[in-house]
Amino acid sequence: MSDYKPFSPKQAARFADLHSDLFGDHSQLKAEEFGDGNLNLVFRVKNNRSSSLIVKQALPYARCVGESWPLTLDRARIEAQVLQQHGKICPDHVVEVYHFDQDLAAILMEDLHQYEIARTALIQGKSFPLLAQHIAHYLAQVLFHTSDFVMTGPVKKARQQQFSNPELCLITEDLFFTDPYSNHERNNINPTILPEAQKLWLDTELQAEVAQLKADFLSKPQALLHGDMHSGSIFVNADSTKVIDAEFGFFGPIGFDCGSFIGNLLLCTLAQTGLTKDPATAQSRQTYLKDQIQQFWQGFAAEFSQLMQQETADTSFQNSLYQQRFLQQVWQDSLGYAGCELIRRTVGLAHVADLEKIADPAQKANAETAALTLGRQLILQRTSLGLEQLLDLI
Ligand SMILES: Nc1ncnc2c1ncn2[C@@H]1O[C@H](COP(=O)(O)OP(=O)(O)O)[C@@H](O)[C@H]1O
Ligand SMILES: CSC[C@H]1O[C@H](OP(=O)(O)O)[C@H](O)[C@@H]1O
């Protein structure tokens, strides 16, 4: 990594110009850094005719914490290659990567300026009828086509090596499965709900189930995951949906991606009574979000089943009883990981705007407590809950 240095806006513009012919020879380029994520620099580079590109560059540390949290630059390679791999399988729903430079840990990609980040738009009360269907299609396609149903053992093992992502996985292992269940210094707990958080530290029944989910995260390489499928990793508009930010990608349990998506829709649902003053509006938003959860799982399950039936290459896995059991296990895992997402986003290091934007302190504490309660129920009851029961629990 000898050439590596964090870009200035000017250097980001030069990088974009060098690796794309979008701007033409004599364009006047302007660049600004506008990233709002936890980890990286993101620049928008524009010319004087309104063409634009995005340059994303990894820093040698986590942006949200600073240099005291060193982090591998290899995450830029993982992000570029997961997006490229997923983009080959499902180009409609993956941001296009134009160029990746390993030495500079920098990615040049499509500017999705005609889209909005799903989390922000959903908090603002906007509805996207196709969001859940699109994510269901994306996840069914990319997870099926990178699984043992399709890949031979040797090919999958080579891919597992390519996507070995120990440092970023460790962040998830710590933030999802360890910190919230102890008095960890990284936790970020609203003092009003401290007694609720403290219950988690003593709840050995819950901790045993979280340990199982963590063990599966560590040792169930079912498919090449996106790895961070929250609503801040999704760009959306009325007719299209694109996934970004795949630096946490690795071969892991399919239910982790499904559960992250469901968990973030649940967080938004629980935040509604605090986000909007009008109870009727809150109720109609909750109905929309619950409907999206339903459409997501029904769409994912239907498409994944069809792929298993029609496109499974390995003869052992063509057994239909095995396929039904596999999908049922993915559902149970998804509920468990959704529960972990609810809990870690409420009392762990990285919170979400859905809860943080609730202005009234009592309403905020109520929504946070509801997230902890529902998270616990999903983890403990994941083997017995069906889709209808999940929706009734909310
Ligand atoms: N391809 C893109 N087009 C437009 N904006 C983007 C694009 N990629 C990232 N962004 C913007 O940068 C922000 C941070 O990007 P993200 O990939 O989430 O960074 P991080 O890895 O630091 O979390 C996004 O919320 C979005 O506003
Ligand atoms: C210190 S990383 C915390 C948190 O941030 C990541 O999300 P993003 O990069 O999209 O903001 C990921 O969810 C990590 O768990």
Side-chain angles (χ1 to χ4, degrees):
M1 291 278 166
S2 54
D3 290 342
Y4 177 83
K5 244 182 106 176
F7 284 151
S8 65
K10 236 181 176 168
Q11 289 166 326
R14 199 171 312 131
F15 176 78
D17 204 17
L18 200 62
H19 298 293
S20 161
D21 46 20
L22 179 75
F23 294 132
D25 280 345
H26 304 292
S27 321
Q28 291 166 0
L29 299 184
K30 285 201 180 125
E32 57 160 351
E33 201 282 321
F34 71 112
D36 59 359
N38 283 320
L39 297 177
N40 304 292
L41 296 175
V42 181
F43 299 88
R44 170 167 284 126
V45 184
K46 272 186 181 171
N47 70 3
N48 51 0
R49 292 186 302 273
S50 311
S51 298
S52 59
L53 292 169
I54 296 292
V55 174
K56 179 168 175 179
Q57 190 185 34
L59 290 163
Y61 52 85
R63 174 193 173 118
C64 65
V65 176
E67 293 183 31
S68 63
W69 189 335
L71 204 53
T72 176
L73 293 175
D74 191 47
R75 67 188 191 270
R77 177 190 67 81
I78 297 278
E79 172 160 358
Q81 293 182 354
V82 174
L83 291 173
Q84 284 165 335
Q85 180 83 11
H86 282 187
K88 270 189 217 151
I89 299 168
C90 191
D92 284 353
H93 298 310
V94 181
V95 66
E96 191 170 350
V97 170
Y98 298 132
H99 181 74
F100 165 62
D101 185 309
Q102 176 130 19
D103 290 340
L104 296 169
I107 304 171
L108 183 66
M109 65 180 118
E110 168 187 17
D111 185 357
L112 297 169
H113 59 85
Q114 66 281 48
Y115 294 73
E116 297 175 82
I117 287 286
R119 187 186 305 288
T120 315
L122 292 174
I123 291 171
Q124 289 167 353
K126 297 179 186 168
S127 296
F128 304 94
L130 300 174
L131 170 65
Q133 285 173 42
H134 285 168
I135 296 298
H137 176 58
Y138 161 71
L139 285 180
Q141 288 292 331
V142 302
L143 298 174
F144 177 78
H145 286 287
T146 58
S147 74
D148 294 315
F149 289 103
V150 177
M151 285 186 171
T152 61
V155 168
K156 180 149 167 280
K157 282 174 185 67
R159 290 281 188 226
Q160 280 176 248
Q161 275 183 1
Q162 178 188 350
F163 291 105
S164 163
N165 195 1
E167 284 194 38
L168 281 279
C169 283
L170 183 62
I171 292 180
T172 304
E173 289 149 27
D174 289 340
L175 299 192
F176 264 78
F177 306 113
T178 308
D179 296 2
Y181 305 94
S182 66
N183 186 13
H184 199 283
E185 62 185 10
R186 271 189 301 245
N187 286 335
N188 171 8
I189 302 169
N190 172 4
T192 315
I193 65 151
L194 183 61
E196 295 305 316
Q198 284 169 332
K199 285 184 198 161
L200 300 173
W201 308 343
L202 302 171
D203 192 339
T204 49
E205 188 193 359
L206 179 65
Q207 288 167 9
E209 296 304 325
V210 173
Q212 183 60 58
L213 290 159
K214 181 178 184 175
D216 287 352
F217 182 84
L218 286 160
S219 58
K220 198 151 119 178
Q222 288 179 326
L224 177 59
L225 307 187
H226 174 281
D228 200 17
M229 258 326 289
H230 62 81
S231 49
S233 298
I234 301 169
F235 268 108
V236 66
N237 64 26
D239 16 69
S240 174
T241 308
K242 299 269 183 186
V243 168
I244 61 164
D245 199 12
E247 73 204 303
F248 285 81
F250 78 115
F251 274 81
I254 289 175
F256 186 76
D257 272 356
C258 297
S260 297
F261 181 64
I262 293 172
N264 279 272
L265 291 179
L266 289 171
L267 282 162
C268 196
T269 311
L270 296 176
Q272 287 309 315
T273 45
L275 287 172
T276 161
K277 290 200 176 73
D278 173 31
T281 308
Q283 204 179 8
S284 91
R285 292 299 296 159
Q286 286 176 330
T287 304
Y288 161 72
L289 289 160
K290 284 165 69 168
D291 191 52
Q292 289 293 294
I293 293 171
Q294 185 169 28
Q295 283 188 35
F296 167 71
W297 181 257
Q298 286 174 341
F300 175 85
E303 188 163 347
F304 201 90
S305 294
Q306 193 181 27
L307 288 166
M308 285 192 293
Q309 284 162 32
Q310 296 177 355
E311 294 189 33
T312 296
D314 186 309
T315 49
S316 311
F317 301 141
Q318 288 169 0
N319 179 291
S320 81
L321 187 56
Y322 170 75
Q323 293 180 356
Q324 285 164 38
R325 286 180 185 156
F326 186 92
L327 194 60
Q328 180 60 17
Q329 185 64 54
V330 171
W331 166 247
Q332 293 174 8
D333 291 352
S334 302
L335 289 180
Y337 291 120
C340 293
E341 177 72 349
L342 289 175
I343 292 175
R344 75 110 177 184
R345 293 296 194 179
T346 306
V347 294
L349 171 76
H351 284 209
V352 285
D354 313 55
L355 295 173
E356 294 306 303
K357 285 223 180 284
I358 300 176
D360 178 71
Q363 299 259 30
K364 182 166 184 276
N366 277 344
E368 289 174 337
T369 305
L372 295 183
T373 305
L374 182 59
R376 185 175 185 279
Q377 285 173 314
L378 296 189
I379 293 167
L380 288 176
Q381 298 172 31
R382 66 189 188 284
T383 55
S384 57
L385 286 177
L387 179 59
E388 289 305 322
Q389 289 149 318
L390 164 68
L391 299 173
D392 287 345
L393 265 187
I394 303 168

